């Protein structure tokens, strides 16, 4: 595809109000059922808004309250993806690895360039360093006409043969204080808690435990029902192996449900990261609320945990030198009748 050269398509000159806090180049997508902003850093999707069939507007993705704060923008010690935490972005490789100094990969913390753009779609790309086993990423984000849906396509071009953990990183909103939320990941083969205490002094899930249903995840004492987050938990992470490739998040008091659909062959596990003001270090300062719903091919977000990986869980995707691999996924929303909603099947 030809590179876009028109200055009007390089960055928005007048950012919409919802994007006022965004620092750096970004682009607005609009279609008949929604709008969103796409940032150059990480090609991250932010400020996603859907117009539902009943006419209401919902914004299902979380956004960090510190986005745009001058002290955070100016702090080079904070990784770029953390300065603008929220929304959704791809992670190649996923988490901490020995081949890439960036947590969640080079593409997470660096600027992508526009390949092609229209009012309702954008394609971006980023070239990786010459010593990296990955050569290039391309990402297309498109608002689906007539639907409260964004369709996303990610293409990974490998430079060298390698096995790398890869993942997607949407962060959805937690329901407001005193409001209900219900999580239905569909069937999965086995669940795992983080092999060690995730956030010392805060996390309560029993480290290195296994479970078979999301409504009975082992705590140090008892069990937690994570079909109804946050259930008093503040900072936790767990993984569902053999995930079905679709998850529903219901917000009955807000009248809608959100969905994430992906190819389960490409990402056979689902990492769920729950953060409810559980981290105190800057810029977190006990302010962030969100739930990461992260399809992955790998084990959690740190390859140093590989010795504790169950044999049934893949260490990552095997890439061939010169291979171009593409995966597709969708984020969507629809209205929900709170009065008749009885929650997800157990």
């Amino acid at each position: 595809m030809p590179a876009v050269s028109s200055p009007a398509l390089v960055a928005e000159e007048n950012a919409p109000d919802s994007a006022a806090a965004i620092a750096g180049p970004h682009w607005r997508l609009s279609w008949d059922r929604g709008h969103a902003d796409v940032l150059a850093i990480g090609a991250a999707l932010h400020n996603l808004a859907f117009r539902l069939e009943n006419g209401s507007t919902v914004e299902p993705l979380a956004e960090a309250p510190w986005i745009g704060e001058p002290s955070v923008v100016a702090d080079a010690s904070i990784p770029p993806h953390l300065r603008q935490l929220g929304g959704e972005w791809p992670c190649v490789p996923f988490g901490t690895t020995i081949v890439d100094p960036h947590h969640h990969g080079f593409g997470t913390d660096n600027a992508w360039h526009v390949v092609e753009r229209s009012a309702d779609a954008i394609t971006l790309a980023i070239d990786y360093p010459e010593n990296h086993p990955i050569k290039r990423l391309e990402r297309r984000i498109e608002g689906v006409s007539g639907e409260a849906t964004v369709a996303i396509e990610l293409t990974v071009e490998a430079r060298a043969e390698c096995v790398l953990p890869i993942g997607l990183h949407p962060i959805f909103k937690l329901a407001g204080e005193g409001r209900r939320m219900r999580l239905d990941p569909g069937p999965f083969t086995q669940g795992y808690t983080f092999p060690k205490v995730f956030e010392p002094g805060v996390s309560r899930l029993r480290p290195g435990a296994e479970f078979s249903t999301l409504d009975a995840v082992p705590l140090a004492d008892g069990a937690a029902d994570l079909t109804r987050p946050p259930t008093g938990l503040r900072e936790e992470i767990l993984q569902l192996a053999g995930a079905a490739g679709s998850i529903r998040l219901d917000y009955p008091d807000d009248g809608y449900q959100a969905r994430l659909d992906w190819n389960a062959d490409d990402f056979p596990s689902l990492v769920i990261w729950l953060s409810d003001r559980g981290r105190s270090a800057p810029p977190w300062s006990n302010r962030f609320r969100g739930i990461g719903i992260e399809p992955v091919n790998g084990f959690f977000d740190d390859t140093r945990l590989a010795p504790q990986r169950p044999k049934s869980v893949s260490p990552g995707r095997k890439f061939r030198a010169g291979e171009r691999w593409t995966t597709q996924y969708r984020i969507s929303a629809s209205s929900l009748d709170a009065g008749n909603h009885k929650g997800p099947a157990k």
Side-chain angles (χ1 to χ4, degrees), residues 195-216:
K196 55 185 179 181
V197 176
F198 183 55
E199 186 75 8
V202 178
S203 298
R204 296 173 50 212
L205 293 183
R206 186 191 309 163
E210 299 185 10
F211 57 93
S212 57
T213 62
L214 197 59
D215 60 357

Side-chain angles (χ1 to χ4, degrees), residues 255-285:
Y256 77 98
Q257 66 174 224
R259 290 183 64 94
L260 173 68
D261 295 281
W262 70 96
N263 187 328
D265 291 332
D266 294 340
F267 301 101
S269 285
L270 181 68
V271 166
I272 299 176
W273 165 50
L274 170 65
S275 188
D276 187 15
R277 304 188 185 101
R279 293 184 174 180
S280 58
W284 305 86
S285 302

Side-chain angles (χ1 to χ4, degrees), residues 323-340:
E323 178 184 8
R324 280 179 60 87
W325 171 81
T326 297
T327 191
Q328 297 172 330
Y329 56 105
R330 295 161 69 97
I331 300 171
S332 59
S334 59
S335 59
L336 185 67
D337 184 342
N340 293 330

Side-chain angles (χ1 to χ4, degrees), residues 63-337:
E63 301 287 349
W66 59 78
I67 295 177
E69 290 183 357
S71 61
V72 174
V73 173
D75 191 342
S77 70
I78 302 174
H81 79 273
L82 183 53
R83 290 178 226 161
Q84 61 184 37
L85 184 67
E88 179 274 332
W89 73 96
C91 303
V92 181
F94 181 79
T96 299
T97 63
I98 61 173
V99 303
D100 194 320
H102 299 271
H103 187 64
H104 291 320
F106 178 83
T108 288
D109 284 329
N110 289 279
W112 298 47
H113 62 271
V114 175
V115 175
E116 186 176 65
R117 185 190 166 202
S118 64
D120 60 356
I122 189 169
T123 301
L124 306 100
I126 186 169
D127 297 311
Y128 272 40
E130 292 185 0
N131 62 349
H132 202 291
I134 297 301
K135 182 178 181 180
R136 179 181 172 93
L137 303 185
E138 293 182 6
R139 170 166 156 94
R140 179 175 173 81
I141 306 169
E142 181 175 5
V144 179
S145 179
E147 298 182 26
T149 300
V150 285
I152 305 173
E153 181 177 277
L154 173 67
T155 297
V156 180
E157 183 177 354
R159 176 178 283 113
E161 182 174 325
C162 57
V163 176
L164 288 180
I166 56 174
L168 311 173
H169 208 305
I171 307 177
F172 289 86
K173 286 182 175 177
L174 285 174
E177 298 291 345
R179 303 179 78 80
R180 294 173 296 167
M181 181 178 181
R182 291 167 181 160
L183 200 64
D184 183 3
F188 59 92
T189 57
Q190 190 65 54
Y192 302 95
T193 63
F194 202 59
K196 55 185 179 181
V197 176
F198 183 55
E199 186 75 8
V202 178
S203 298
R204 296 173 50 212
L205 293 183
R206 186 191 309 163
E210 299 185 10
F211 57 93
S212 57
T213 62
L214 197 59
D215 60 357
V217 181
L219 295 169
D221 181 15
D225 181 358
L226 283 177
T227 66
R228 291 170 171 79
T231 62
L233 302 179
R234 298 180 60 210
E235 196 71 31
E236 306 288 355
I237 194 167
L238 54 118
Q239 181 162 339
L240 309 182
S246 181
I247 186 169
R248 192 181 81 219
L249 301 92
D250 292 346
Y251 302 83
D253 297 316
D254 298 309
Y256 77 98
Q257 66 174 224
R259 290 183 64 94
L260 173 68
D261 295 281
W262 70 96
N263 187 328
D265 291 332
D266 294 340
F267 301 101
S269 285
L270 181 68
V271 166
I272 299 176
W273 165 50
L274 170 65
S275 188
D276 187 15
R277 304 188 185 101
R279 293 184 174 180
S280 58
W284 305 86
S285 302
N286 301 114
R287 295 185 290 169
F288 185 76
R289 300 188 77 241
I291 184 165
I293 302 295
E294 307 164 29
V296 302
N297 188 338
F299 185 57
F300 286 106
D301 64 348
D302 192 335
T303 53
R304 291 172 295 186
L305 300 173
Q308 300 170 68
R309 174 180 59 85
K311 292 182 179 179
S312 60
V313 175
S314 167
R317 189 183 189 280
K318 183 176 183 179
F319 290 96
R320 304 185 306 274
E323 178 184 8
R324 280 179 60 87
W325 171 81
T326 297
T327 191
Q328 297 172 330
Y329 56 105
R330 295 161 69 97
I331 300 171
S332 59
S334 59
S335 59
L336 185 67
D337 184 342

